[in-house]
Amino acid sequence: MEHESPRTVRIALGSRSYDILVGPGLIAGAGREIARRLPGARAAIVTDETVAGLHLPALLASLGAAGLEATPIVLPAGERTKSFEQLVALVDRLLELRLERGDAVIALGGGVIGDLAGFAAGIVKRGMRFVQVPTTLLAQVDSSVGGKTGINSPRGKNLVGVFHQPDLVIADTSVLDTLAPREFAAGYAEMVKYGLIDRPDFFAWLEENRPAIFAGGAQRAEAVAQCCRAKAVVVEEDEREDGRRALLNLGHTFGHALEAGVAYDPARLVHGEGVAIGMALAHRFSARLGLCPPEDAARAAAHLEAAGLPTRIGQIPGAGFTCEALMGKIAQDKKVKRGRLTFILTRGIGQSFVSDDVDPAKVEAFLKDEIDAR
Amino acid sequence: MEHESPRTVRIALGSRSYDILVGPGLIAGAGREIARRLPGARAAIVTDETVAGLHLPALLASLGAAGLEATPIVLPAGERTKSFEQLVALVDRLLELRLERGDAVIALGGGVIGDLAGFAAGIVKRGMRFVQVPTTLLAQVDSSVGGKTGINSPRGKNLVGVFHQPDLVIADTSVLDTLAPREFAAGYAEMVKYGLIDRPDFFAWLEENRPAIFAGGAQRAEAVAQCCRAKAVVVEEDEREDGRRALLNLGHTFGHALEAGVAYDPARLVHGEGVAIGMALAHRFSARLGLCPPEDAARAAAHLEAAGLPTRIGQIPGAGFTCEALMGKIAQDKKVKRGRLTFILTRGIGQSFVSDDVDPAKVEAFLKDEIDAR
Ligand SMILES: NC(=O)c1ccc[n+]([C@@H]2O[C@H](COP(=O)([O-])OP(=O)(O)OC[C@H]3O[C@@H](n4cnc5c(N)ncnc54)[C@H](O)[C@@H]3O)[C@@H](O)[C@H]2O)c1
Ligand SMILES: NC(=O)c1ccc[n+]([C@@H]2O[C@H](COP(=O)([O-])OP(=O)(O)OC[C@H]3O[C@@H](n4cnc5c(N)ncnc54)[C@H](O)[C@@H]3O)[C@@H](O)[C@H]2O)c1
Ligand SMILES: [Zn+2]
Ligand SMILES: [Zn+2]
């Protein structure tokens, strides 16, 4: 499963098709790749304070060498940046720079920067060109692929946004070397997700190659490219998330409820950790319903644990969760229809499916036992 | 050219296709038409204070009769409502109502309400269903067709928005009876525009039928339907405004400069009046360049004047315009490329074309004479 880098993953969406370039050290050639695809464009680089200190100089140098005029816009790091206030300020900056529809917004950062900058690019002049340079593992394997952009509202996460496909994604796997180990592991949970959804061979390959991926070898780039391809297949089938794309939410109904339960405090739980616990729960719940062999649920959890990820509600530091509170969050979730819950369940490793007919009482009983198991 | 109403104009955009229903008294059946297309949907009606007083009760009654649950959201009337502040507040109201992607935002009002509500519908949950019930002539023949939505920025008009096609447009030509005569005439300028762009027969038909259209006869519905069809053809060819759709800007480069010149004070100039002067200028400028017969320029102006519209810069009340100021606004306009201006010029009635090679010096000399002609 090893190739020479950079690997190119093509997202085939008709006139909105684009390439994802994956490999170590790609930022050095980013200017050339962007200039080739958007000749004559000017650019604004949107990034956060942490990433700016680490990787902005290299990107600026690369754009400069390619003759691309680019202005950096540096925002605070963290989920709170995905707000209407920051959106309005960013849009104003882009307009102040007099950028046109053919000019580019370049997002250099994690999912927060990608989601905010992509939304701004989607609405300035009703749609500017957009380039993603994802710098977290989560952003490389998940948020930068598929065109979902947006911000949070005081009423909930990701409630406002647009579908706006990028013109190019450059996933430089070397920049992940500066990522906090906890953030790397969180992104790894999303990697594991692709295996658990419908790629049992990829899951087995991850079991073998996890240490190399964490260490940064060629396997890391290979793994990122495999995940982009996996997500691409789903996005190509269902660009606007009306059906099959729901499978990508494996582990997320439980995960979101847990994140909300800690009031999105990243000191207690980051998104990927919530997803790791959520996927373990989805497998154990499926086992309890008699759908999934218990050995497969144990195998999924064991792999996540080996990667340093939590798999039990009781591992979340701080005050305990009540079953009522979690069920309330789950019911609030958008995946509820006429009193039955929509859940991603599984018949085993790599055999997930969407069920829109899950009995809330069974979820509640299951969660009660899981909380007590702490 | 007369039919029985309602007339249906189909906008063919693949999976985003929709109908425009045109005719007198259609609001009475609006609930049934919406419920038929969006079964089970809930709705929010976005409107302004003026329109709410005149036409909201009828729409609410019609929705109620069709069993459609709808909540009105009433905003201040006027162009200032197309702001980020109002957008954020509207989005919050829609989220507070817990509307889902399958639920509908119904815009009941002129272009201001349609543009703002359409933008909100385009970004809440990354795209809700959207129904336009345009209540100004301008909105019926122009802004409600084509899916352009958006708001103004302190840096300029319509700079932020999305393309978001409606699921249905209901143009009830009776509601125009309550419109201020000046607003009706302003919308009529956009009607004339379709004739001047590429429909000489329609222009001649308008010359015949103008009094009947103003009076509200069957000709009014016929004229609205013809204009929707004319815009539909252009939108179908060029949904995202990359090419041919530019023709719809006939009269608008001059018009926008004039609007900006009065600081968008509607007491001095409303949009359609700016367009009327702009179209007269575009024809006279084309005549001066030897492109258009002077008789055609005179004929275009005479028809606009007969409709009570201005056709000369000197007719705008208040302080005078300087040539420098107007040229500055024109150069700021987005239709500028490498020192040459992009303009819609014409070879005669119904023979407009896009020129991206207009010499600014010639425009300046022309405008100087036009201003002095006051
Ligand atoms: N659009 C989508 O399809 C999609 C999918 C999944 C998640 N998301 C969104 O993505 C966001 C989470 O993304 P994230 O986990 O990347 O968060 P993030 O962008 O906040 O990044 C996490 C932290 O890592 C720092 N960082 C980023 N790159 C770094 C690097 N190379 N070295 C050192 N530090 C670095 C950031 O400054 C930040 O503090 C959430 O808002 C979530 O809703 C979107
Ligand atoms: N989206 C597009 O493609 C597009 C195209 C052209 C114009 N526009 C936008 O449309 C806006 C102008 O639209 P407009 O002229 O309809 O303005 P508007 O919405 O402000 O309406 C004009 C006035 O008429 C009142 N009104 C509306 N319907 C009425 C009725 N039936 N009876 C009595 N009063 C009524 C309104 O309260 C308002 O005071 C501008 O913001 C312009 O940018 C958009
Ligand atoms: Zn996730
Ligand atoms: Zn106009």
Side-chain angles (χ1 to χ4, degrees), chain B residues 138 142 190 193 252 271 275:
Chain B
L138 181 137
D142 190 354
E190 304 277 5
K193 186 182 74 174
H252 280 65
H271 174 74
V275 172

Side-chain angles (χ1 to χ4, degrees), chain A residues 123 125-126 149 155 159 161, chain B residues 92 123 125-126 149 159 161:
Chain A
I123 63 175
K125 313 256 166 113
R126 296 198 190 85
T149 75
R155 299 191 186 276
L159 289 179
Chain B
D92 190 61
I123 64 176
K125 313 256 167 112
R126 295 196 189 86
T149 75
L159 289 178

Side-chain angles (χ1 to χ4, degrees), chain A residues 213-289:
Chain A
I213 293 166
F214 274 67
Q219 285 90 335
R220 180 190 286 178
E222 178 60 28
V224 169
Q226 289 287 335
C227 292
C228 291
R229 169 93 332 260
K231 184 157 182 184
V233 169
V234 180
V235 169
E236 285 165 1
E237 273 184 26
D238 182 16
E239 186 180 358
R240 297 185 73 94
E241 195 166 40
D242 303 309
R244 203 185 131 72
R245 196 161 169 170
L247 279 178
L248 295 173
N249 286 320
L250 174 63
H252 281 64
T253 301
F254 286 127
H256 286 152
L258 295 169
E259 282 184 275
V262 299
Y264 300 97
D265 177 358
R268 293 180 65 193
L269 191 75
V270 297
H271 174 74
E273 292 168 344
V275 173
I277 301 176
M279 291 191 296
L281 291 175
H283 278 70
R284 285 199 291 276
F285 182 52
S286 298
R288 177 142 156 180
L289 295 177

Side-chain angles (χ1 to χ4, degrees), chain A residues 84 87-88 91-92 95-96 98 100-101 119 122-126 148-149 153 155 158-163 240-242 332 334, chain B residues 84 87-88 91-92 95-96 98 100-101 119 122-126 148-149 153 155 158-163 240-242 332 334:
Chain A
F84 253 126
L87 177 75
V88 174
V91 162
D92 190 61
L95 292 173
E96 187 186 14
R98 295 185 160 282
E100 295 297 332
R101 290 178 68 181
F119 190 14
I123 63 175
V124 167
K125 313 256 166 113
R126 296 198 190 85
K148 273 167 88 170
T149 75
S153 141
R155 299 191 186 276
N158 296 321
L159 289 179
V160 187
V162 293
F163 286 90
R240 297 185 73 94
E241 195 166 40
D242 303 309
Q332 255 179 46
K334 54 192 160 192
Chain B
F84 252 126
L87 178 75
V88 174
V91 162
D92 190 61
L95 292 174
E96 187 186 16
R98 295 185 161 282
E100 296 297 332
R101 290 178 68 181
F119 190 14
I123 64 176
V124 167
K125 313 256 167 112
R126 295 196 189 86
K148 273 167 87 170
T149 75
S153 140
R155 300 191 186 275
N158 296 321
L159 289 178
V160 188
V162 293
F163 286 89
R240 297 185 73 95
E241 196 166 41
D242 304 309
Q332 257 181 44
K334 53 192 163 195

